[in-house]
Amino acid sequence: MNILFIVFARKEVLGGAKRALKMAPYLSDYSNVTIAINESEENKNRLAGIKNINSVFVERTGLFEYRKQLGRVIERKNPDIIYTNHLNTRTLFLNNKSFRIVEHAELFSQSEDMSYLQRLKYLMYEWTSIFISDGMLIANKNLEYIYKKRSDIVSKNMCFKYLPYGSSAHINQNKKKDNINDKLHTVLYFGSLSRDCGFTNIIDSIITLNRNSDKKITLEFCGSGKVEEKLKSYVSNRQAKGVVRFNGFIEESLVSEYLNSADVLLCPLQYKNRDKFRFPSKLPMYMNTGKPVVTCKLREVVDCLGDKGFYYEPGDVRSLCEAIGDALEYGNVEYDESNVQRYSWENISREFYKWVKKCLESEVSVNVRN
């Protein structure tokens, strides 16, 4: 089987781009894998570490030239499966010989963070993806329901697969930090600062916890984005520079070191469409460390963490203080081993391969090839 991943990845690898890059080494045991990715030094370094795959770097040119480049790659590789993690005018290609899979990680047309025109643009892309694809890979059950309903409306026969994101091998157990009896603690957020996920409430909760206990708790933000400067100003105004640190973007090789140094890991969410229709890809990685995770009770989160999570109500600083405080007192968590394995990239790659193999044998694939 020949699989072509068309991947868009910038400095930070998010969503479907991460899935393609993490699954590729495992899928190479079963099939011939090619990754076509936008040309950059970061991406060249990423792919250099992946063995037994074919790499194609696509220049960021004008629309038509970019599409021509992709067309030449498709013609040369003649893939059985074409997967893309990002749908826009550069990837709205038609290929009658390949089974086309589009991944959807969020429902951008329903995001409260976007303007009406932006949402309208994404709504067009979302509906177009139904007509030009043969299969959909979806990381959120609510999102899967939406796309199945949409495909029924237009009577489109498609293959669907719910498949969450995963995590790499276990963090070294000997490096786990257990500071239940210590007075120095680190609460860490790892991820993008491109939008506000209740970060000011998190800062307020850390200030409150430091004020009301004899513990010294440090909050660390590992990530970058457009709200970073706003948060720094907020910290300065609250005179909390001593307890909040901004570490910026963290290279992938250093991620484990930062996670191991923390006592509690944060996955802030809100009861809004932007979070209801996505899967927080950091959760399996967090779970692999054996550290307590403070987050909110959304469907995908509870499926992943179950009763091992420390949950709070979004916008409620008191609830957040209690969740962080309970997590600090609890210490390291013994997550269910079968659940950890379920969210491993090895298992997810195996599930993906079984699904695409079934897709190629389906009536949908027969119609595509005819």
Side-chain angles (χ1 to χ4, degrees):
M1 183 190 300
N2 293 323
I3 302 176
L4 171 62
F5 288 101
I6 298 176
V7 176
F8 293 83
R10 299 180 179 85
K11 188 174 182 180
E12 296 179 77
V13 183
L14 305 174
K18 180 183 291 185
R19 184 197 295 282
L21 295 174
K22 293 297 185 181
M23 290 198 311
Y26 298 106
L27 290 173
S28 65
D29 292 338
Y30 312 115
S31 54
N32 182 34
V33 177
T34 300
I35 294 181
I37 193 168
N38 47 304
E39 188 171 23
S40 70
E41 285 303 313
E42 290 93 348
N43 287 335
K44 287 180 179 179
N45 292 333
R46 284 176 185 129
L47 267 64
I50 304 177
K51 298 179 180 180
N52 302 323
I53 67 161
N54 305 303
S55 304
V56 178
F57 297 99
V58 185
E59 295 181 22
R60 291 287 290 184
T61 57
L63 170 62
F64 294 107
E65 178 56 33
Y66 193 88
R67 287 169 60 89
K68 285 181 181 179
Q69 290 183 72
L70 285 181
R72 288 193 290 268
V73 172
I74 293 168
E75 185 177 356
R76 187 168 70 251
K77 295 297 180 180
N78 191 27
D80 300 297
I81 299 288
I82 297 177
Y83 160 101
T84 181
N85 74 297
H86 188 72
L87 187 66
N88 57 31
T89 52
R90 294 174 180 266
T91 57
L92 291 177
F93 55 84
L94 293 175
N95 184 285
N96 293 327
K97 296 181 181 179
S98 301
F99 191 91
R100 297 151 297 178
I101 295 173
V102 172
E103 166 145 4
H104 287 287
E106 298 185 47
L107 194 64
F108 291 108
S109 65
Q110 298 298 314
S111 175
E112 298 87 348
D113 297 332
M114 295 187 178
S115 67
Y116 175 77
L117 287 178
Q118 286 176 313
R119 292 167 66 178
L120 189 62
K121 178 187 74 172
Y122 278 110
L123 183 64
M124 180 192 72
Y125 287 148
E126 290 164 7
W127 277 97
T128 303
S129 71
I130 295 173
F131 291 102
I132 71 161
S133 63
D134 309 299
M136 283 194 180
L137 195 63
I138 301 178
N140 178 286
K141 291 177 180 176
N142 295 324
L143 192 57
E144 181 186 33
Y145 174 80
I146 292 292
Y147 275 102
K148 282 185 174 180
K149 291 289 289 184
R150 288 179 177 181
S151 66
D152 287 343
I153 289 173
V154 295
S155 301
K156 177 70 184 290
N157 187 18
M158 301 181 67
C159 296
F160 286 91
K161 178 65 174 178
Y162 165 75
L163 201 62
Y165 297 114
S167 179
S168 301
H170 284 279
I171 303 297
N172 188 336
Q173 299 291 314
N174 295 326
K175 290 185 178 180
K176 282 186 179 180
K177 178 182 174 186
D178 195 337
N179 282 345
I180 295 176
N181 298 317
D182 293 347
K183 291 187 178 181
L184 299 177
H185 298 269
T186 301
V187 176
L188 184 142
Y189 167 80
F190 180 87
S192 173
L193 297 178
S194 60
R195 62 188 185 188
D196 192 351
C197 298
F199 294 130
T200 54
N201 287 338
I202 293 172
I203 293 168
D204 289 341
S205 68
I206 296 299
I207 293 172
T208 301
L209 286 168
N210 275 297
R211 185 188 303 131
N212 296 337
S213 73
D214 60 350
K215 298 174 181 176
K216 174 155 177 67
I217 304 168
T218 301
L219 171 63
E220 294 193 17
F221 287 103
C222 294
S224 58
K226 63 184 180 182
V227 302
E228 184 175 357
E229 292 305 315
K230 176 184 174 183
L231 293 176
K232 286 180 178 178
S233 297
Y234 187 81
V235 169
S236 179
N237 292 336
R238 292 299 312 271
Q239 298 181 336
K241 287 185 177 180
V243 296
V244 182
R245 289 205 293 263
F246 293 88
N247 298 322
F249 174 76
I250 304 299
E251 296 294 337
E252 191 168 356
S253 59
L254 300 176
V255 170
S256 293
E257 181 180 332
Y258 277 87
L259 294 177
N260 281 317
S261 70
D263 299 283
V264 172
L265 301 173
L266 295 175
C267 181
L269 300 167
Q270 296 176 318
Y271 297 147
K272 294 184 177 181
N273 287 334
R274 69 182 188 190
D275 287 331
K276 288 179 180 178
F277 292 105
R278 71 182 183 92
F279 180 91
S281 60
K282 63 175 67 67
L283 280 182
M285 178 178 65
Y286 279 5
M287 189 165 59
N288 252 351
T289 66
K291 302 297 177 67
V293 178
V294 173
T295 185
C296 301
K297 269 192 173 180
L298 290 175
R299 179 177 183 178
E300 304 296 323
V301 176
V302 175
D303 282 351
C304 185
L305 300 179
D307 60 1
K308 303 289 186 179
F310 293 83
Y311 301 109
Y312 71 95
E313 286 296 313
D316 187 337
V317 174
R318 181 176 178 180
S319 171
L320 185 53
C321 284
E322 290 176 355
I324 295 175
D326 289 345
L328 286 170
E329 291 298 324
Y330 193 92
N332 290 333
V333 177
E334 293 294 330
Y335 294 104
D336 185 87
E337 183 63 26
S338 63
N339 212 30
V340 173
Q341 289 301 320
R342 174 190 170 201
Y343 289 98
S344 69
W345 282 122
E346 182 177 8
N347 179 65
I348 287 171
S349 301
R350 191 182 305 117
E351 290 295 314
F352 176 81
Y353 179 77
K354 288 193 293 186
W355 175 62
V356 295
K357 188 177 179 181
K358 186 177 180 181
C359 287
L360 290 177
E361 298 168 353
S362 69
E363 181 182 343
V364 175
S365 181
V366 171
N367 292 336
V368 169
R369 292 174 182 274
N370 291 337

